[in-house]
Amino acid sequence: MDKFRKIVEAGPIGLQDWAEEKLKDYADEIVHYDTLPKDEDDLAERIGDADAVLVRNLPLVPASVLSRCKNLKYVGMCCSLYSKESANVDIDYAEKHGITVYGIRDYGDVGVTEFVVYSLVKILHGYDRKLWRSKPKEITGLRIGFVGFGTSGQMTARLLKAMGAKISYYARSVKEDAEKEGMHFMALDDLLKENEVIITCLNKGVILLHEREFNLLGNGKIMINTSIGPASDMDALKAWIENDSNIFVADTSGAVGEIYEEVKDRENVLCPDVSAGMTAEAYDLMSRKVLDNIEKALS
């Protein structure tokens, strides 16, 4: 198998030790950086004459950096790649200049599903917090609507359905397998009005919930955002959170958004600020997918 001449890990990647060792099979030289670059100049200098670079969701790798790295042939995104628009790498520039860019998907879904179930049980039963309703409540019979219904959304929905929840979803298309399992598509307006819990599972950078949507959602509801970033307009979300009957949940400050510092200490906001998806198992799976992409790029 061919090798790269030089692979640069341009910041903290999180590959497992076995994967770091395996990486040596794919390049004559491996260069590690344990900190993020200070700026674009620092990033371009780190990449230097390398023909391959690995990055996570940070740093940003714009055209202004790629254009300075004349030997670069491969960019490995060690993070989720959903679309060119949401990527931290300028994929359009890369494609036009013969640079291959591969990303990964579906490596942290189990941890996200577990976080959703943990959060709901905590809220419904009042464990270490105020009860949501007057009495503890089971997930059984709970009306839960998903906004976005990709891999992690469907995995979470199936587990909650097995626990007795009534599942509906809004997505760009009807999911035939889900329909057969008794999980049904609804228009977004109806989904927001008719469900007690809303779980957003959207691609990075997709904002679907604005003031109008929160008005339709109403109060006395639970919202859990499992998207990488915010799924809501910040002003509208903040106004909704200010009603104490509503509960908002996210695993990280980034999933809350720029209002995080303003709302993080509220009793009706649950945010441990830890990426729920990044378990030991997820790091292992991420590492395998990163190496698989390198092999694919070399072939």
Side-chain angles (χ1 to χ4, degrees), residues 132 218-222 240-247 268:
W132 180 48
N219 298 317
K221 302 286 187 73
I222 298 169
W240 186 80
I241 288 173
E242 286 174 351
N243 185 309
D244 291 335
S245 71
N246 299 322
I247 299 175
N268 63 335

Side-chain angles (χ1 to χ4, degrees), residues 44-265:
E45 185 175 336
R46 289 185 182 192
I47 298 172
D49 64 349
D51 48 353
V53 62
L54 302 181
V55 295
R56 289 210 68 190
N57 57 311
L58 289 174
L60 299 178
V61 190
S64 54
V65 169
L66 295 174
S67 63
R68 295 162 64 179
C69 304
K70 302 302 183 182
N71 294 324
L72 196 60
K73 297 299 181 186
Y74 176 65
V75 179
M77 292 176 57
C78 308
C79 57
S80 297
L81 173 55
Y82 294 106
S83 65
K84 292 180 181 180
E85 295 74 22
S86 65
N88 56 306
V89 178
D90 190 328
I91 296 177
D92 281 332
Y93 178 91
E95 289 178 343
K96 291 174 184 176
H97 292 82
I99 302 170
T100 300
V101 181
Y102 289 145
I104 59 176
R105 292 188 65 167
D106 305 335
Y107 58 94
D109 301 317
V110 173
V112 171
T113 293
E114 291 179 351
F115 174 72
V116 170
V117 174
Y118 156 81
S119 300
L120 282 175
V121 170
K122 185 181 180 76
I123 292 166
L124 296 177
H125 288 264
Y127 296 147
D128 301 322
R129 58 169 289 109
K130 181 182 176 182
L131 265 174
W132 180 48
R133 297 279 171 83
S134 59
K135 294 180 180 179
K137 178 171 172 47
E138 299 174 358
I139 289 175
T140 304
L142 196 65
R143 300 190 308 278
I144 302 178
F146 285 78
V147 180
F149 211 51
T151 301
S152 66
Q154 291 184 48
M155 182 182 292
T156 305
R158 287 187 172 97
L159 180 57
L160 292 171
K161 187 175 186 300
M163 300 175 75
K166 298 178 180 178
I167 304 295
S168 54
Y169 67 93
Y170 169 78
R172 286 176 292 185
S173 61
V174 174
K175 311 297 181 183
E176 296 298 340
D177 288 346
E179 295 291 326
K180 292 175 183 176
E181 295 173 45
M183 299 181 285
H184 300 301
F185 176 90
M186 295 180 70
L188 181 59
D189 288 6
D190 294 332
L191 185 93
L192 295 171
K193 288 186 290 186
E194 295 187 20
N195 283 288
E196 301 163 279
V197 178
I198 295 295
I199 300 176
T200 48
C201 313
L202 297 169
N203 288 348
K204 183 179 178 182
V206 177
I207 306 296
L208 282 188
L209 304 182
H210 302 272
E211 182 179 3
R212 175 183 175 278
E213 285 71 32
F214 279 102
N215 286 337
L216 290 169
L217 177 62
N219 298 317
K221 302 286 187 73
I222 298 169
M223 177 179 290
I224 303 175
N225 182 28
T226 68
S227 311
I228 292 177
S232 310
D233 172 82
M234 289 292 97
D235 289 339
L237 175 60
K238 182 182 175 184
W240 186 80
I241 288 173
E242 286 174 351
N243 185 309
D244 291 335
S245 71
N246 299 322
I247 299 175
F248 181 78
V249 180
D251 60 341
T252 67
S253 56
V256 178
E258 62 189 42
I259 63 170
Y260 171 71
E261 290 296 332
E262 298 177 67
V263 303
K264 66 177 183 178
D265 295 325

